[in-house]
Amino acid sequence: IAEEMLFRGLLYRGLEATVGAIATIMITSILFGMVHYLGFGWPRAVATGCLGLLFGIIRWRTGNTTAAIATHATINFAAAMMGTTMILLAAWGM
């Protein structure tokens, strides 16, 4: 929720009035990816930046952050479940 409120809330509103929706989506997506670089590296930063594009488009199309928050939460939940499944399968020798 905090990431979406920052990137698709505060930054989006501040930039959109100045540079327009498309540039705002691009800028916030790049920044979103860069925040995820530390500790994860470039592959994660690029993937997260691409997700930032999705969240930005959702924010633009709906006009609010609620759908972007829900989408982000759903993706994080799915990733956590896949990671947990992989750990359990490895622990069980599968």
Side-chain angles (χ1 to χ4, degrees), residues 61-74:
R61 298 284 295 174
T62 63
N64 63 57
T65 58
T66 304
I69 290 169
T71 304
H72 191 155
T74 301

Side-chain angles (χ1 to χ4, degrees), residues 3-15 59 65:
E3 285 180 333
E4 289 306 313
M5 294 302 289
L6 174 62
F7 289 98
R8 260 57 69 183
L10 183 67
L11 288 175
Y12 189 96
R13 269 182 280 158
L15 288 171
R59 164 63 171 89
T65 58

